[in-house]
Amino acid sequence: MDALSDLLRRSRTSDADVRQLIQRPPWSMTFDEAPPLTVFAALGGPAVLRLDDRPDVAPADLAAGDIALVTQTRRHTISDDLGTAPQVVIRAGHKQLLGASEHHAGLVTTLAPRTYGDGLPGATTVLRGTYEPQGDAGRRLLSTLPPVARIPANPRTGAALDLLSAEAALDEPGQDAVLHRMLDLILVLALREGCAHSGLERPTWYRALSDSAVGAALERIHTEPAHRWTVAELAASAGMSRAAFAARFAELVGQPPLAYLTDWRMTLAADLLRDGSGTTVAAAARAVGYQDAFAFSVAFKRVKGVSPSRWGRETATSAH
């Protein structure tokens, strides 16, 4: 399994949410207590996005078909124009209306399931999908993204957005599962496009995926993280000498092979210990390839700064 697929799979949550607004200007919506990752897309018209709690981040202008991935903010506003005052604040799924009623009537009118607005000719459709990436895998995913990543319109994401917009207005059996998977698809397409063509700073491991030898080694590590990998074994499978492989891996990934392997194993172990299933330190150690719980504990503390037993207690407490 490649590194991006594995990271997305392990950070995935079951409570992704999709909503859309179909509204003529002027319109403006503020989202308070926002989740860690939000996906916005503007269809049929422009929009502008600002992070209200990040004045250091410039507003992002979205043309029709553009996507914005939003992180590192708890409060942001999307509108037709920066000069349009917010008409509604949404917090924990509840709408607080602002100003005179004639200014926000369309924003609260239900057109279809998960769909609001006036739905009139000339309206812009704004899609919003939210994620709560889980655990240390989720943290690693979010750490690769800037506060706002804008991905310009392109044919592949455009087709997916059109389909997501149509599906968001339906209410059929399995609809939540369909929407979740479609939102996953758009997130992956946006990350691909952003890293390949749109100036999004690529994580070191993402750059390595395009290298046949190092990309294959990363795939082996993510497919079998508990295997007792050695640099010599990974180098041999890549058809390279040990020294040449180690140097190339470190150059592209930013870490030596076994350091990357250890960090990824500790990410997996951290999520096992926090998931509430009562996983013991010894069980977590075995799951990520350590037969010796003491050696595992030493490695875990070196990477995470605390012992695995303390990590399990503290993260279980914070989760409740």
Side-chain angles (χ1 to χ4, degrees), residues 127-162:
L127 281 166
R128 179 179 183 259
T130 61
Y131 277 94
E132 292 274 358
Q134 299 296 298
D136 253 38
R139 177 192 57 77
R140 284 175 72 115
L141 173 63
L142 293 176
S143 71
T144 68
L145 297 171
V148 177
R150 187 183 72 86
I151 293 86
N154 65 84
R156 296 186 72 186
T157 57
L161 290 172
D162 288 341

Side-chain angles (χ1 to χ4, degrees), residues 59-80:
D61 292 312
L62 304 181
D66 289 356
I67 294 173
L69 306 179
V70 185
T71 64
Q72 304 176 40
T73 174
R74 295 290 288 170
R75 184 181 177 94
H76 49 256
T77 298
I78 188 165
S79 59
D80 68 300

Side-chain angles (χ1 to χ4, degrees), residues 34-54:
L37 175 59
T38 301
V39 181
F40 279 110
L43 305 178
V48 61
L49 172 70
R50 72 170 184 265
L51 308 190
D52 299 319
D53 55 359
R54 290 295 304 270

